[in-house]
């Protein structure tokens, strides 16, 4: 006797699922960011005098620092595995609802590289503009000691950010919010605001820059329905920032001031 087809999910169940996914990932980050920016804005020091460190050491012992770093990256990717499980299709391509199909690897790679180049320089300009206006904190992308594993860990951290943000905020939320009946621009704007919100701990400038990035990524996704170029672009941008930070801090010390207290 064949089993009956699964019943459509109710709106309440879909909202519950979305809430759980966000509570386990970027929704929690957004709430912490709101608390963080509130804390920063109520300090005596201005935002421009404060510092946010993205990749910091987790142990004074190199071996355990490496273990903690790898464990943190691995478990941070659990929500990505969750949304892949939730939207897994019984037919190929299995992850089509996430915008992933691996059918055009060269095209996706070249598109991702072009997109990274197109938004990388404007992103730096937004950061420097925010610093000049005093609405962005001094962001230290990497504060790890130099070991043999430092660059690989920073690259993995960049990949974590690309996978987590694009597969959850773009792939997963666009699918589920569409299931809930939301229109194209309502989805694009709301998810862009979410993207900006979980970057608020870096200051108002970071919020504006990431909202703009979210609007562009959302428009591209709704037009082409491919999330891999966005993952590649995001990963490349973060990798360049994380790995290139040390050189930039030495070359432009007046911009990347390290003496500010967090």
């Amino acid at each position: 006797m064949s089993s009956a087809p699964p019943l459509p999910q109710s709106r309440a169940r879909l909202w519950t699922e979305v809430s759980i996914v966000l509570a386990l990932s970027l929704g929690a980050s957004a709430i912490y960011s709101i608390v963080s920016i509130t804390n920063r804005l109520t300090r005596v020091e201005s935002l421009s005098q404060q510092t946010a460190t993205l990749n910091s050491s987790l142990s004074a012992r190199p071996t355990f620092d490496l273990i903690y770093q790898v464990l943190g990256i691995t478990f941070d990717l659990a929500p990505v595995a969750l949304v892949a499980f939730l939207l897994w299709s019984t037919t190929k391509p299995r992850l089509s609802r996430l915008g992933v199909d691996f059918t055009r690897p060269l095209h996706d790679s070249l598109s991702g590289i072009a997109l990274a180049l197109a938004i990388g320089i404007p992103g730096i300009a937004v950061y420097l503009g925010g610093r000049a206006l005093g609405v962005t904190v001094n962001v230290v992308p990497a504060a790890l000691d130099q070991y043999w594993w430092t660059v690989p860990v920073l690259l993995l951290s960049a990949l974590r950010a690309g996978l987590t943000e694009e597969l959850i905020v773009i792939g997963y939320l666009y699918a589920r919010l569409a299931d809930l009946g939301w229109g194209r621009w309502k989805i694009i704007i709301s998810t862009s605001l979410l993207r900006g919100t979980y970057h608020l701990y870096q200051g108002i400038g970071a919020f504006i820059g990431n909202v703009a990035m979210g609007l562009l990524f959302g428009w591209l996704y709704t037009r082409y329905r491919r999330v891999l170029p966005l993952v590649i672009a995001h990963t490349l941008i973060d990798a360049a920032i994380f790995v290139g930070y040390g050189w930039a801090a030495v070359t432009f010390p007046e911009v990347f001031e390290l003496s500010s207290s967090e």
Side-chain angles (χ1 to χ4, degrees):
M1 180 177 179
S2 61
S3 60
L7 296 174
Q9 296 192 63
S10 67
R11 290 178 60 85
R13 186 178 180 86
L14 284 176
W15 274 121
T16 300
E17 178 192 295
V18 170
S19 299
I20 292 172
V21 168
L22 291 179
L24 293 173
S25 57
L26 297 168
S29 298
I31 293 173
Y32 277 112
S33 254
I34 292 171
V35 174
S36 176
I37 193 64
T38 303
N39 178 28
R40 291 184 182 280
L41 289 173
T42 53
R43 290 185 183 182
V44 175
E45 306 94 338
S46 66
L47 283 177
S48 61
Q49 295 176 314
Q50 299 178 40
T51 299
T53 303
L54 305 187
N55 295 285
S56 57
S57 178
L58 300 176
S59 173
R61 302 173 67 185
T63 300
F64 283 92
D65 196 0
L66 172 60
I67 292 172
Y68 284 132
Q69 297 288 347
V70 173
L71 287 175
I73 291 169
T74 300
F75 289 118
D76 282 349
L77 289 173
V80 176
L82 174 61
V83 299
F85 175 80
L86 291 171
L87 294 185
W88 185 267
S89 174
T90 55
T91 59
K92 295 182 178 180
R94 307 295 186 182
L95 296 176
S96 58
R97 294 213 68 202
L98 281 176
V100 178
D101 61 20
F102 302 108
T103 59
R104 302 166 66 186
L106 180 59
H107 179 272
D108 288 342
S109 298
L110 293 177
S111 298
I113 293 170
L115 186 57
L117 293 173
I119 66 177
I121 294 176
I124 294 174
V126 169
Y127 171 73
L128 295 179
R131 293 283 290 145
L133 293 172
V135 296
T136 299
V137 305
N138 177 43
V139 178
V140 179
L144 297 175
D145 292 329
Q146 294 299 314
Y147 304 116
W148 66 265
W149 50 261
T150 300
V151 170
V153 162
L154 290 175
L155 294 177
L156 286 174
S157 182
L159 179 61
R160 166 182 56 187
L163 289 171
T164 301
E165 294 190 41
E166 306 315 327
L167 289 181
I168 294 178
V169 176
I170 297 291
Y172 171 76
L173 283 182
Y174 276 55
R176 280 305 190 223
L177 293 178
D179 290 342
L180 288 163
W182 286 30
R184 178 191 184 193
W185 281 105
K186 185 177 180 181
I187 295 174
I188 292 175
I189 293 171
S190 61
T191 55
S192 297
L193 290 173
L194 171 63
R195 187 188 294 264
T197 301
Y198 61 72
H199 285 95
L200 261 176
Y201 70 95
Q202 298 176 17
I204 308 302
F207 172 82
I208 295 172
N210 279 279
V211 169
M213 180 177 172
L215 292 172
L216 174 61
F217 276 22
W219 179 81
L220 289 171
Y221 182 70
T222 56
R223 182 175 176 84
Y224 299 106
R225 289 292 169 182
R226 305 194 69 80
V227 81
L228 287 181
L230 310 182
V231 172
I232 292 169
H234 193 141
T235 301
L236 288 176
I237 291 170
D238 281 7
I241 294 172
F242 294 169
V243 176
Y245 170 76
W247 169 83
V250 173
T251 307
F252 306 104
E254 69 282 359
V255 175
F256 298 90
E257 180 58 53
L258 301 183
S259 61
S260 302
S261 61
E262 185 167 3

